[in-house]
Amino acid sequence: GAPGAPGYGGFPGQAQDPLFGYFSAVAGQDGQIDAEELQRCLTQANFSGGYKPFNLETCRLMISMLDRDMSCTMGFNEFKELWSILHAWKQHFMSMDRDRSGTIDHTEMQQAVASMGYRLSPQAMTAIVKRCSTQGKITFDDYVACCVKIRALTDVFRRRDQSQQGVASFSYDDFIQSTMTI
Amino acid sequence: GAPGAPGYGGFPGQAQDPLFGYFSAVAGQDGQIDAEELQRCLTQANFSGGYKPFNLETCRLMISMLDRDMSCTMGFNEFKELWSILHAWKQHFMSMDRDRSGTIDHTEMQQAVASMGYRLSPQAMTAIVKRCSTQGKITFDDYVACCVKIRALTDVFRRRDQSQQGVASFSYDDFIQSTMTI
Protein backbone atom coordinates (compact mmCIF):
# COMPACT_ATOMS: atom_id res chain seq x y z
CA GLY A 1 0.00 0.00 0.00
CA ALA A 2 0.94 3.63 -0.29
CA PRO A 3 2.65 5.26 2.71
CA GLY A 4 0.04 6.24 5.24
CA ALA A 5 -2.41 3.60 4.11
CA PRO A 6 -3.94 1.31 6.73
CA GLY A 7 -1.47 -1.30 7.89
CA TYR A 8 1.54 0.84 7.09
CA GLY A 9 4.34 0.48 9.65
CA GLY A 10 6.14 -2.16 11.57
CA PHE A 11 3.10 -3.61 13.30
CA PRO A 12 0.65 -4.82 10.65
CA GLY A 13 -2.84 -5.13 11.99
CA GLN A 14 -2.05 -3.60 15.35
CA ALA A 15 -1.60 -0.10 13.92
CA GLN A 16 -5.33 0.17 13.34
CA ASP A 17 -6.18 -0.77 16.91
CA PRO A 18 -6.75 2.42 18.92
CA LEU A 19 -5.56 0.64 22.06
CA PHE A 20 -2.20 0.10 20.42
CA GLY A 21 -1.64 3.86 20.47
CA TYR A 22 -1.98 3.98 24.26
CA PHE A 23 0.17 0.88 24.68
CA SER A 24 3.00 1.81 22.31
CA ALA A 25 3.27 5.31 23.83
CA VAL A 26 4.63 3.76 27.02
CA ALA A 27 6.04 0.36 25.93
CA GLY A 28 9.79 0.08 25.52
CA GLN A 29 11.67 -1.59 22.68
CA ASP A 30 10.75 -5.01 24.05
CA GLY A 31 7.01 -4.44 23.58
CA GLN A 32 6.34 -5.03 27.28
CA ILE A 33 5.08 -2.69 29.99
CA ASP A 34 5.67 -2.84 33.73
CA ALA A 35 3.35 -1.61 36.51
CA GLU A 36 4.53 2.01 36.36
CA GLU A 37 4.12 2.12 32.58
CA LEU A 38 0.67 0.56 32.89
CA GLN A 39 -0.27 3.23 35.43
CA ARG A 40 0.94 5.97 33.06
CA CYS A 41 -0.83 4.32 30.15
CA LEU A 42 -4.22 4.04 31.89
CA THR A 43 -3.88 7.59 33.24
CA GLN A 44 -2.99 9.02 29.79
CA ALA A 45 -5.90 7.12 28.25
CA ASN A 46 -8.08 8.67 30.99
CA PHE A 47 -9.44 5.20 31.65
CA SER A 48 -10.77 6.06 35.10
CA GLY A 49 -12.69 9.03 33.70
CA GLY A 50 -14.25 10.91 36.59
CA TYR A 51 -12.69 8.49 39.09
CA LYS A 52 -9.21 8.82 40.56
CA PRO A 53 -6.42 7.23 38.48
CA PHE A 54 -5.30 3.78 39.61
CA ASN A 55 -2.58 3.65 42.21
CA LEU A 56 0.63 1.74 41.55
CA GLU A 57 -0.24 -1.25 43.72
CA THR A 58 -3.48 -1.78 41.81
CA CYS A 59 -1.52 -1.69 38.54
CA ARG A 60 0.88 -4.30 39.93
CA LEU A 61 -2.12 -6.48 40.75
CA MET A 62 -3.47 -6.07 37.22
CA ILE A 63 -0.18 -7.24 35.75
CA SER A 64 0.10 -10.19 38.13
CA MET A 65 -3.44 -11.34 37.27
CA LEU A 66 -2.44 -12.06 33.66
CA ASP A 67 1.27 -12.69 34.19
CA ARG A 68 1.64 -16.26 32.91
CA ASP A 69 5.42 -16.13 32.52
CA MET A 70 6.11 -14.43 35.90
CA SER A 71 7.90 -11.56 34.17
CA CYS A 72 5.98 -8.83 36.08
CA THR A 73 5.42 -7.20 32.69
CA MET A 74 2.62 -7.27 30.13
CA GLY A 75 2.57 -7.56 26.33
CA PHE A 76 -0.01 -6.02 24.01
CA ASN A 77 -2.27 -9.08 23.92
CA GLU A 78 -2.53 -9.17 27.72
CA PHE A 79 -3.09 -5.41 27.69
CA LYS A 80 -6.05 -5.81 25.34
CA GLU A 81 -7.43 -8.59 27.54
CA LEU A 82 -7.00 -6.42 30.64
CA TRP A 83 -8.66 -3.46 28.95
CA SER A 84 -11.76 -5.45 28.15
CA ILE A 85 -11.99 -6.92 31.68
CA LEU A 86 -11.49 -3.46 33.22
CA HIS A 87 -14.07 -1.95 30.89
CA ALA A 88 -16.71 -4.45 32.01
CA TRP A 89 -15.87 -3.84 35.68
CA LYS A 90 -16.06 -0.09 35.17
CA GLN A 91 -19.51 -0.35 33.56
CA HIS A 92 -20.64 -2.41 36.52
CA PHE A 93 -19.18 0.03 39.04
CA MET A 94 -20.80 3.01 37.31
CA SER A 95 -24.16 1.25 37.29
CA MET A 96 -23.90 0.95 41.09
CA ASP A 97 -22.48 4.46 41.66
CA ARG A 98 -25.60 6.19 40.38
CA ASP A 99 -25.00 9.44 42.21
CA ARG A 100 -21.39 9.57 40.90
CA SER A 101 -20.07 9.96 44.43
CA GLY A 102 -17.05 7.90 43.36
CA THR A 103 -17.74 5.20 45.93
CA ILE A 104 -20.10 2.29 46.54
CA ASP A 105 -21.13 0.82 49.88
CA HIS A 106 -20.57 -2.60 51.46
CA THR A 107 -23.87 -4.08 50.31
CA GLU A 108 -23.28 -3.02 46.70
CA MET A 109 -19.76 -4.45 46.80
CA GLN A 110 -21.05 -7.78 48.12
CA GLN A 111 -23.64 -7.87 45.35
CA ALA A 112 -20.92 -7.10 42.78
CA VAL A 113 -18.75 -10.01 43.99
CA ALA A 114 -21.73 -12.37 44.07
CA SER A 115 -22.84 -11.32 40.58
CA MET A 116 -19.40 -12.31 39.23
CA GLY A 117 -20.22 -15.88 40.24
CA TYR A 118 -17.95 -16.28 43.26
CA ARG A 119 -19.70 -18.37 45.90
CA LEU A 120 -18.48 -17.24 49.28
CA SER A 121 -19.86 -17.53 52.80
CA PRO A 122 -21.39 -14.40 54.33
CA GLN A 123 -18.47 -14.35 56.76
CA ALA A 124 -15.83 -14.40 53.99
CA MET A 125 -17.78 -11.80 52.03
CA THR A 126 -17.98 -9.45 55.02
CA ALA A 127 -14.27 -9.82 55.79
CA ILE A 128 -13.23 -9.21 52.19
CA VAL A 129 -15.41 -6.16 51.69
CA LYS A 130 -14.24 -4.66 54.98
CA ARG A 131 -10.61 -5.19 54.00
CA CYS A 132 -11.01 -3.42 50.66
CA SER A 133 -12.89 -0.41 52.08
CA THR A 134 -11.64 3.07 52.74
CA GLN A 135 -13.56 4.71 55.61
CA GLY A 136 -16.47 2.35 55.11
CA LYS A 137 -16.75 3.04 51.37
CA ILE A 138 -15.26 1.35 48.30
CA THR A 139 -13.63 3.57 45.69
CA PHE A 140 -13.26 2.53 42.03
CA ASP A 141 -9.61 1.71 42.69
CA ASP A 142 -10.49 -0.40 45.78
CA TYR A 143 -13.16 -2.21 43.76
CA VAL A 144 -10.83 -3.04 40.86
CA ALA A 145 -8.06 -4.18 43.21
CA CYS A 146 -10.56 -6.47 44.95
CA CYS A 147 -11.90 -7.89 41.66
CA VAL A 148 -8.37 -8.53 40.39
CA LYS A 149 -7.36 -10.31 43.58
CA ILE A 150 -10.42 -12.56 43.80
CA ARG A 151 -10.04 -13.53 40.15
CA ALA A 152 -6.32 -14.27 40.44
CA LEU A 153 -6.62 -16.17 43.74
CA THR A 154 -9.55 -18.20 42.40
CA ASP A 155 -7.34 -19.17 39.43
CA VAL A 156 -4.56 -20.22 41.81
CA PHE A 157 -7.00 -22.34 43.80
CA ARG A 158 -8.70 -23.90 40.77
CA ARG A 159 -5.40 -25.07 39.29
CA ARG A 160 -4.71 -27.02 42.50
CA ASP A 161 -8.26 -28.35 42.93
CA GLN A 162 -8.11 -30.66 39.95
CA SER A 163 -10.87 -32.98 41.09
CA GLN A 164 -13.09 -29.91 41.62
CA GLN A 165 -14.04 -30.90 45.16
CA GLY A 166 -13.54 -27.39 46.52
CA VAL A 167 -10.41 -28.40 48.43
CA ALA A 168 -6.78 -27.72 47.49
CA SER A 169 -3.47 -28.66 49.08
CA PHE A 170 -0.39 -26.48 48.98
CA SER A 171 3.21 -27.02 49.97
CA TYR A 172 4.58 -24.07 51.95
CA ASP A 173 6.76 -22.94 49.06
CA ASP A 174 3.91 -23.12 46.56
CA PHE A 175 1.51 -21.32 48.90
CA ILE A 176 3.88 -18.44 49.58
CA GLN A 177 4.98 -18.07 45.98
CA SER A 178 1.49 -18.17 44.51
CA THR A 179 -0.09 -15.80 47.04
CA MET A 180 2.85 -13.38 47.38
CA THR A 181 3.03 -12.82 43.63
CA ILE A 182 -0.58 -11.64 43.38
CA GLY B 1 -0.53 12.30 93.15
CA ALA B 2 -0.68 16.01 92.51
CA PRO B 3 -2.13 17.12 89.17
CA GLY B 4 0.55 16.86 86.50
CA ALA B 5 2.42 14.11 88.34
CA PRO B 6 3.37 10.99 86.37
CA GLY B 7 0.42 8.71 85.83
CA TYR B 8 -2.09 11.54 85.99
CA GLY B 9 -4.97 11.15 83.58
CA GLY B 10 -7.41 8.58 82.38
CA PHE B 11 -4.89 6.03 81.19
CA PRO B 12 -2.70 4.99 84.13
CA GLY B 13 0.59 3.51 83.01
CA GLN B 14 0.02 4.26 79.34
CA ALA B 15 0.45 8.01 79.84
CA GLN B 16 4.17 7.53 80.44
CA ASP B 17 4.65 5.55 77.27
CA PRO B 18 5.89 7.92 74.56
CA LEU B 19 4.24 5.75 71.90
CA PHE B 20 0.89 6.44 73.53
CA GLY B 21 1.21 10.08 72.53
CA TYR B 22 1.45 9.17 68.85
CA PHE B 23 -1.36 6.66 69.15
CA SER B 24 -3.83 8.75 71.12
CA ALA B 25 -3.34 11.74 68.80
CA VAL B 26 -5.12 9.80 66.03
CA ALA B 27 -7.24 7.19 67.87
CA GLY B 28 -10.93 7.89 68.22
CA GLN B 29 -13.08 7.45 71.31
CA ASP B 30 -13.00 3.67 70.87
CA GLY B 31 -9.22 3.48 71.29
CA GLN B 32 -8.80 1.85 67.88
CA ILE B 33 -7.12 3.11 64.72
CA ASP B 34 -7.83 2.18 61.09
CA ALA B 35 -5.37 2.14 58.19
CA GLU B 36 -5.69 5.85 57.41
CA GLU B 37 -5.16 6.78 61.06
CA LEU B 38 -2.16 4.45 61.24
CA GLN B 39 -0.70 6.12 58.15
CA ARG B 40 -1.20 9.57 59.74
CA CYS B 41 0.25 8.33 63.03
CA LEU B 42 3.43 6.86 61.51
CA THR B 43 3.87 9.95 59.33
CA GLN B 44 3.43 12.33 62.28
CA ALA B 45 5.87 10.27 64.34
CA ASN B 46 8.27 10.56 61.36
CA PHE B 47 8.78 6.81 61.61
CA SER B 48 10.17 6.48 58.10
CA GLY B 49 12.77 9.18 58.80
CA GLY B 50 14.64 9.89 55.58
CA TYR B 51 12.50 7.36 53.70
CA LYS B 52 9.15 8.11 52.08
CA PRO B 53 6.13 7.75 54.39
CA PHE B 54 4.20 4.48 54.12
CA ASN B 55 1.45 4.35 51.54
CA LEU B 56 -2.09 3.46 52.57
CA GLU B 57 -2.00 -0.09 51.21
CA THR B 58 1.09 -0.87 53.29
CA CYS B 59 -0.71 0.45 56.38
CA ARG B 60 -3.68 -1.80 55.60
CA LEU B 61 -1.28 -4.74 55.43
CA MET B 62 0.22 -3.80 58.79
CA ILE B 63 -3.21 -3.80 60.39
CA SER B 64 -4.21 -7.11 58.79
CA MET B 65 -1.00 -8.77 60.01
CA LEU B 66 -2.04 -8.33 63.66
CA ASP B 67 -5.81 -8.21 63.19
CA ARG B 68 -6.92 -11.18 65.27
CA ASP B 69 -10.56 -10.11 65.52
CA MET B 70 -10.96 -9.17 61.83
CA SER B 71 -12.01 -5.65 62.74
CA CYS B 72 -9.57 -3.98 60.29
CA THR B 73 -8.54 -1.74 63.18
CA MET B 74 -5.76 -1.81 65.77
CA GLY B 75 -5.68 -1.15 69.52
CA PHE B 76 -2.76 0.28 71.49
CA ASN B 77 -1.25 -3.12 72.40
CA GLU B 78 -1.13 -4.19 68.74
CA PHE B 79 0.27 -0.76 67.85
CA LYS B 80 3.13 -1.25 70.31
CA GLU B 81 3.78 -4.73 68.91
CA LEU B 82 3.76 -3.33 65.35
CA TRP B 83 6.11 -0.51 66.30
CA SER B 84 8.69 -2.91 67.68
CA ILE B 85 8.48 -5.20 64.62
CA LEU B 86 8.75 -2.20 62.26
CA HIS B 87 11.66 -0.80 64.22
CA ALA B 88 13.64 -4.05 63.84
CA TRP B 89 12.86 -4.17 60.11
CA LYS B 90 13.92 -0.55 59.69
CA GLN B 91 17.25 -1.19 61.40
CA HIS B 92 17.80 -4.10 59.06
CA PHE B 93 16.87 -2.09 55.99
CA MET B 94 19.18 0.77 56.99
CA SER B 95 22.04 -1.66 57.54
CA MET B 96 21.61 -2.80 53.93
CA ASP B 97 21.03 0.68 52.46
CA ARG B 98 24.49 1.90 53.39
CA ASP B 99 24.61 4.68 50.79
CA ARG B 100 21.16 5.94 51.92
CA SER B 101 19.86 5.77 48.36
CA GLY B 102 16.49 4.77 49.81
CA THR B 103 16.46 1.43 48.01
CA ILE B 104 18.07 -2.00 48.19
CA ASP B 105 18.63 -4.43 45.33
CA HIS B 106 17.25 -7.92 44.63
CA THR B 107 20.17 -9.79 46.19
CA GLU B 108 19.93 -7.77 49.41
CA MET B 109 16.17 -8.34 49.57
CA GLN B 110 16.64 -12.09 49.13
CA GLN B 111 19.21 -12.10 51.93
CA ALA B 112 16.82 -10.13 54.14
CA VAL B 113 14.01 -12.67 53.61
CA ALA B 114 16.37 -15.60 54.19
CA SER B 115 17.77 -14.02 57.35
CA MET B 116 14.25 -13.83 58.80
CA GLY B 117 14.21 -17.62 58.71
CA TYR B 118 11.80 -18.21 55.82
CA ARG B 119 12.96 -21.23 53.83
CA LEU B 120 11.93 -20.71 50.23
CA SER B 121 13.12 -22.16 46.94
CA PRO B 122 15.29 -19.93 44.73
CA GLN B 123 12.39 -19.83 42.28
CA ALA B 124 9.89 -18.57 44.88
CA MET B 125 12.42 -16.09 46.21
CA THR B 126 13.07 -14.65 42.75
CA ALA B 127 9.35 -14.34 41.98
CA ILE B 128 8.58 -12.65 45.31
CA VAL B 129 11.41 -10.15 45.10
CA LYS B 130 10.54 -9.27 41.52
CA ARG B 131 6.91 -8.69 42.50
CA CYS B 132 7.79 -6.30 45.31
CA SER B 133 10.28 -4.25 43.26
CA THR B 134 9.83 -0.84 41.72
CA GLN B 135 11.99 -0.46 38.61
CA GLY B 136 14.32 -3.20 39.76
CA LYS B 137 14.84 -1.69 43.23
CA ILE B 138 13.09 -2.20 46.56
CA THR B 139 12.08 0.91 48.52
CA PHE B 140 11.58 0.89 52.29
CA ASP B 141 7.82 0.80 51.75
CA ASP B 142 8.12 -2.16 49.29
CA TYR B 143 10.34 -3.97 51.78
CA VAL B 144 7.98 -3.50 54.72
CA ALA B 145 4.94 -4.53 52.64
CA CYS B 146 6.82 -7.68 51.59
CA CYS B 147 7.89 -8.51 55.17
CA VAL B 148 4.33 -8.01 56.45
CA LYS B 149 2.84 -10.24 53.76
CA ILE B 150 5.30 -13.12 54.17
CA ARG B 151 4.82 -13.05 57.93
CA ALA B 152 1.02 -12.97 57.74
CA LEU B 153 0.79 -15.64 55.00
CA THR B 154 3.21 -17.89 56.87
CA ASP B 155 0.93 -17.57 59.94
CA VAL B 156 -2.09 -18.51 57.79
CA PHE B 157 -0.25 -21.55 56.46
CA ARG B 158 1.14 -22.67 59.81
CA ARG B 159 -2.29 -22.64 61.45
CA ARG B 160 -3.50 -25.12 58.79
CA ASP B 161 -0.38 -27.31 58.81
CA GLN B 162 -0.96 -28.72 62.26
CA SER B 163 1.17 -31.82 61.80
CA GLN B 164 4.00 -29.56 60.59
CA GLN B 165 4.59 -31.56 57.43
CA GLY B 166 4.88 -28.48 55.24
CA VAL B 167 1.54 -29.19 53.54
CA ALA B 168 -1.79 -27.47 54.18
CA SER B 169 -5.27 -27.98 52.77
CA PHE B 170 -7.78 -25.20 52.25
CA SER B 171 -11.42 -25.12 51.31
CA TYR B 172 -12.15 -22.53 48.64
CA ASP B 173 -13.92 -20.24 51.10
CA ASP B 174 -11.12 -20.45 53.67
CA PHE B 175 -8.44 -19.88 51.02
CA ILE B 176 -10.12 -16.80 49.58
CA GLN B 177 -10.99 -15.31 52.96
CA SER B 178 -7.58 -15.83 54.50
CA THR B 179 -5.57 -14.58 51.52
CA MET B 180 -7.89 -11.72 50.52
CA THR B 181 -7.83 -10.24 54.00
CA ILE B 182 -4.01 -9.87 54.05
Side-chain angles (χ1 to χ4, degrees):
Chain A
Y8 180 78
F11 301 93
Q14 296 184 329
Q16 289 112 307
D17 192 327
L19 288 185
F20 190 69
Y22 297 132
F23 183 83
S24 60
V26 296
Q29 289 280 340
D30 59 355
Q32 297 279 317
I33 58 175
D34 65 15
E36 289 192 307
E37 289 164 337
L38 177 61
Q39 185 186 36
R40 211 156 64 234
C41 180
L42 291 170
T43 304
Q44 284 170 4
N46 193 26
F47 183 89
S48 300
Y51 300 122
K52 272 174 67 178
F54 294 114
N55 73 45
L56 183 60
E57 178 56 23
T58 307
C59 295
R60 286 177 174 181
L61 286 169
M62 292 175 192
I63 288 191
S64 73
M65 178 177 75
L66 300 173
D67 190 19
R68 283 148 202 139
D69 64 354
M70 290 283 188
S71 63
C72 294
T73 60
M74 174 174 270
F76 182 58
N77 284 334
E78 287 77 36
F79 177 72
K80 278 203 292 192
E81 189 180 344
L82 173 68
W83 187 281
S84 106
I85 298 168
L86 283 181
H87 186 74
W89 285 342
K90 185 176 156 188
Q91 294 301 112
H92 194 174
F93 187 88
M94 288 172 72
S95 75
M96 293 184 289
D97 177 27
R98 283 190 210 90
D99 61 358
R100 292 288 177 276
S101 63
T103 61
I104 59 173
D105 65 25
H106 282 199
T107 311
E108 289 167 324
M109 186 67 199
Q110 293 197 16
Q111 286 164 354
V113 172
S115 77
M116 289 174 203
Y118 301 110
R119 295 211 202 131
L120 294 164
S121 65
Q123 191 196 357
M125 198 67 104
T126 304
I128 290 168
V129 170
K130 214 181 211 181
R131 173 64 175 79
C132 75
S133 303
T134 306
Q135 295 186 321
K137 295 283 184 181
I138 294 106
T139 65
F140 181 55
D141 189 277
D142 292 331
Y143 161 83
V144 168
C146 184
C147 292
V148 169
K149 275 200 244 180
I150 294 193
R151 192 184 148 120
L153 287 165
T154 300
D155 278 352
V156 162
F157 187 88
R158 194 177 284 137
R159 281 198 296 273
R160 283 148 189 92
D161 176 27
Q162 294 189 337
S163 57
Q164 300 186 33
Q165 298 296 301
V167 178
S169 283
F170 294 77
S171 70
Y172 174 66
D173 199 73
D174 181 36
F175 179 74
I176 295 292
Q177 180 174 343
S178 56
T179 54
M180 285 289 293
T181 50
I182 283 169
Chain B
Y8 180 77
F11 302 93
Q14 295 184 329
Q16 290 111 308
D17 191 327
L19 287 185
F20 191 69
Y22 297 133
F23 183 82
S24 60
V26 296
Q29 289 281 340
D30 58 355
Q32 296 280 316
I33 58 176
D34 65 14
E36 289 192 309
E37 288 164 337
L38 177 61
Q39 185 186 36
R40 209 156 64 234
C41 180
L42 292 171
T43 303
Q44 284 170 3
N46 194 27
F47 184 88
S48 300
Y51 300 123
K52 273 174 67 178
F54 294 115
N55 74 45
L56 183 60
E57 177 56 23
T58 306
C59 294
R60 286 176 175 182
L61 286 169
M62 292 174 191
I63 288 191
S64 72
M65 180 177 74
L66 301 173
D67 189 20
R68 283 149 201 137
D69 63 355
M70 289 282 188
S71 62
C72 294
T73 61
M74 175 175 268
F76 181 58
N77 284 335
E78 287 77 36
F79 177 72
K80 277 204 293 192
E81 188 179 346
L82 174 68
W83 187 281
S84 105
I85 297 168
L86 283 181
H87 186 74
W89 285 341
K90 184 176 157 188
Q91 295 300 113
H92 193 175
F93 188 88
M94 288 173 73
S95 75
M96 292 184 289
D97 178 27
R98 285 189 208 91
D99 61 358
R100 292 287 178 276
S101 63
T103 61
I104 59 172
D105 64 25
H106 282 199
T107 311
E108 288 167 325
M109 185 66 200
Q110 294 196 16
Q111 285 163 355
V113 172
S115 77
M116 289 172 202
Y118 300 110
R119 294 208 202 133
L120 294 164
S121 65
Q123 191 196 357
M125 198 66 106
T126 304
I128 290 167
V129 170
K130 214 181 212 181
R131 172 65 174 79
C132 74
S133 303
T134 307
Q135 294 185 321
K137 295 284 185 180
I138 294 106
T139 65
F140 181 54
D141 189 277
D142 292 330
Y143 161 84
V144 168
C146 184
C147 292
V148 169
K149 274 199 245 180
I150 293 192
R151 192 185 149 119
L153 287 165
T154 300
D155 278 353
V156 163
F157 187 88
R158 194 178 283 135
R159 282 197 295 274
R160 285 149 188 91
D161 175 28
Q162 294 188 335
S163 57
Q164 299 186 33
Q165 298 296 302
V167 179
S169 283
F170 294 78
S171 70
Y172 175 67
D173 198 73
D174 181 35
F175 179 75
I176 295 293
Q177 180 174 345
S178 56
T179 54
M180 285 288 295
T181 49
I182 284 170

